[in-house]
Amino acid sequence: MNHSLSQDVNNAINAFDGAKVAHAGCMLRLNDISEAISRCTKERDQAQEQSKEAETNWRTRFRNLRGEMTEELKNEHSQRISQMELAKEFADLINDLELEQKTEMLGCARTAKKLLGAHKHAFVTYAEYQWSQALKNLSPSLIRAIKLKLHALSMATTLEAQSEYYIEPEKVVSGLIGNKLTEVAKQCQFDMEIEPVLEKIGLYYPSLVGVDMALMNSPIKQQQLCQELNEIKKQRQKK
């Protein structure tokens, strides 16, 4: 906890840290599953190719030997069946992994949404805290100048005050101050070497590489995918 900050800011930052950890964990599982699918797909394809090759070779030799089952031919038959079974095992495993992948993808979409929300909350909370702190420490010379400006503007004649173009002094000063401060703020550059809190939170939303953005931004798509996954799991339980 940073004791120089308010409790609200610390809580928001802690919540953001927690959201980052949760999302990172979900993405790690998703990436692991994707890598496993890629690896198993290569192994399945290789097993299928070897099975087809063994099938062709075995049938050719089987016919050439006119059905005489030599020990070598029996061994080749066992290897052929083994490759077929291995390819099927990989295919079944890929189906299971793809179901896990969709489940994790749904989870990552949800943790990503929470991460963006936690980032925004942390940033807004810190910005509001800094705003309130700055207002408590306004320059006395600025306050004096504002007071003088208000007084000068209030010295309008009765005719001027009744004009349709007359603007109340408070509104004039608010506009002048707002425009000037906004103009100066646009030129301001944050030096992250002296901004540990901003560096921790980040000026921009966290990167969401690998996240299905369409799924993340659509509660309807999330609900549909959830229903799809539940239906698949029910069907598999019946088998």
Side-chain angles (χ1 to χ4, degrees), residues 26-232:
C26 194
M27 287 302 301
L28 180 62
R29 292 190 296 273
L30 178 61
N31 291 334
D32 286 345
I33 294 171
S34 298
E35 290 177 4
I37 290 175
S38 178
R39 182 176 62 254
C40 289
T41 299
K42 291 179 181 178
E43 293 288 352
R44 180 203 61 191
D45 293 345
Q46 183 177 356
Q48 288 177 337
E49 185 63 31
Q50 290 177 350
S51 176
K52 290 178 182 179
E53 183 177 349
E55 174 79 13
T56 301
N57 293 338
W58 185 85
R59 288 187 179 279
T60 299
R61 297 192 62 183
F62 178 74
R63 291 179 181 279
N64 290 338
L65 292 173
R66 301 185 182 282
E68 180 183 352
M69 291 298 292
T70 63
E71 286 300 319
E72 184 178 0
L73 202 59
K74 289 179 180 179
N75 290 333
E76 288 182 3
H77 178 67
S78 297
Q79 293 175 2
R80 177 174 67 94
I81 298 301
S82 176
Q83 288 296 326
M84 292 173 60
E85 292 178 345
L86 181 61
K88 184 180 183 305
E89 288 295 333
F90 273 117
D92 291 341
L93 177 56
I94 289 171
N95 287 335
D96 290 339
L97 289 172
E98 286 176 342
L99 180 62
E100 290 184 32
Q101 185 184 48
K102 288 182 178 180
T103 302
E104 286 298 338
M105 192 179 299
L106 177 61
C108 288
R110 290 170 172 171
T111 57
K113 192 71 172 180
K114 291 180 180 178
L115 177 60
L116 295 184
H119 174 268
K120 181 178 180 179
H121 179 63
F123 193 92
V124 170
T125 303
Y126 179 64
E128 289 298 320
Y129 170 74
Q130 289 290 285
W131 179 264
S132 63
Q133 291 297 106
L135 291 180
K136 291 177 183 177
N137 298 285
L138 290 175
S139 166
S141 61
L142 176 60
I143 300 299
R144 181 174 179 276
I146 293 174
K147 182 70 174 179
L148 287 171
K149 186 68 172 178
L150 285 170
H151 188 73
L153 291 171
S154 67
M155 297 173 67
T157 65
T158 302
L159 185 61
E160 290 173 335
Q162 292 176 344
S163 170
E164 62 178 311
Y165 301 107
Y166 177 76
I167 304 176
E168 295 179 355
E170 290 79 4
K171 291 184 178 180
V172 174
V173 173
S174 294
L176 291 172
I177 294 174
N179 291 337
K180 184 60 179 179
L181 291 180
T182 301
E183 180 183 339
V184 174
K186 287 180 179 179
Q187 305 303 318
C188 174
Q189 298 293 327
F190 292 112
D191 183 357
M192 289 304 181
E193 293 185 1
I194 57 174
E195 295 279 4
V197 179
L198 276 183
E199 184 177 20
K200 185 176 182 63
I201 297 174
L203 288 174
Y204 306 102
Y205 281 122
S207 175
L208 299 177
V209 177
V211 175
D212 187 329
M213 303 303 289
L215 183 64
M216 184 194 77
N217 290 316
S218 175
I220 294 178
K221 288 186 177 181
Q222 291 182 28
Q223 184 179 8
Q224 290 174 339
L225 179 55
C226 187
Q227 291 175 345
E228 177 188 336
L229 293 172
N230 289 334
E231 186 62 31
I232 294 174

